[in-house]
Amino acid sequence: RGKGGGECQGGRRLEGKPWVGRLKPGERHGGGTFNAPPGIEATGTGTIGADEKKYEVFGKIALDKFAYQEVGFEGLTCDFAWDGTRTMLRDIRLRQRSGQLNADLYQAPDDFRLNIDSAIVPTVLAPLAPAKLRSFLQEWEWARSPSIHLSIRGTSRDPKSWHGEGTFALGRTRFRGVWMNSASANVKFGDGIFTLDNFRVTRDAGTGTGPFA
């Protein structure tokens, strides 16, 4: 191009040696333990000129069985895109023995978006949670996986900036030693406030409904 500008494009599948050849089954790397080398397909485009430098990398990630912070997972797949300032992860599929989590994530300067649909038992993920949330999760027992949907918006990855809403539905569940047959609610949170609307709990002794904040 004029003004000394140029464009380039390339693609490569990064798997096996030499990129991850040093990953051996069972070894820890960055808090994770991989049973097999990750599979990454990536394509990049770039424009380099006197007044501009633009590039973008996009592709797919696939992990077989792995563990992170001692939590075991059956696999993970997603599509990704990155241009140096913006990151997008689409069609995240995180599989665990108790269920599957589906998600989409977008992060840019002053813009963070995360949508989650999860059927993973929350106590399984307790080792990944902050200490206060971890102790709260340990007070629960699920006979089967709950259904949780959350739509989160914020200005950064810092949870303090997040606002969100969603829903949850529980089957037979025990909290602090008390069993319930089912529970459901609409969830809203942000600015340190957490509320439950249309909260409904069913136990053998009866049914309770109402808001909670």
Side-chain angles (χ1 to χ4, degrees):
R1 290 189 344 171
K3 298 183 180 180
E7 296 184 354
C8 62
Q9 179 173 355
R12 185 180 181 188
R13 180 175 177 83
L14 304 175
E15 62 177 2
K17 297 180 179 180
W19 188 70
V20 290
R22 290 176 295 176
L23 287 178
K24 297 180 180 179
E27 287 188 345
R28 290 181 63 90
H29 296 271
T33 302
F34 300 89
N35 288 0
I40 301 177
E41 294 182 7
T43 299
T45 62
T47 301
I48 302 175
D51 301 321
E52 62 178 352
K53 290 185 179 180
K54 297 181 180 180
Y55 56 90
E56 183 178 35
V57 179
F58 50 92
K60 300 176 181 292
I61 297 174
L63 303 180
D64 289 328
K65 287 186 177 182
F66 70 99
Y68 184 74
Q69 300 292 356
E70 310 304 330
V71 180
F73 297 97
E74 298 298 301
L76 178 144
T77 59
C78 71
D79 298 331
F80 70 89
W82 177 69
D83 66 0
T85 59
R86 296 174 298 176
T87 301
M88 181 171 63
L89 301 178
R90 291 188 57 195
D91 297 327
I92 301 170
R93 301 289 184 266
L94 178 62
R95 303 184 303 280
Q96 208 274 338
R97 290 181 61 183
S98 67
Q100 178 169 300
L101 180 147
N102 302 328
D104 295 297
L105 180 147
Y106 176 82
Q107 182 178 354
D110 299 319
D111 190 1
F112 179 85
R113 311 173 196 175
L114 176 62
N115 296 322
I116 297 174
D117 284 291
S118 178
I120 294 179
V121 172
T123 47
V124 172
L125 304 178
L128 307 179
K132 291 184 178 180
L133 179 57
R134 190 182 313 141
S135 61
F136 175 72
L137 291 175
Q138 290 171 345
E139 296 182 296
W140 293 79
E141 180 180 343
W142 282 269
R144 66 177 186 178
S145 299
S147 176
I148 300 172
H149 168 74
L150 293 174
S151 179
I152 299 170
R153 300 293 183 267
T155 57
S156 73
R157 290 180 296 177
D158 185 352
K160 293 180 181 179
S161 75
W162 292 358
H163 291 76
E165 59 183 17
T167 62
F168 72 80
L170 312 180
R172 185 159 174 76
T173 306
R174 182 165 65 176
F175 178 60
R176 294 178 179 174
V178 179
W179 282 99
M180 63 187 83
N181 296 324
S182 65
S184 62
N186 298 327
V187 180
K188 290 185 179 180
F189 58 90
D191 298 324
I193 300 174
F194 180 88
T195 62
L196 299 178
D197 294 324
N198 299 321
F199 187 37
R200 180 182 179 88
V201 177
T202 301
R203 299 180 57 208
D204 290 341
T207 300
T209 61
F212 177 82

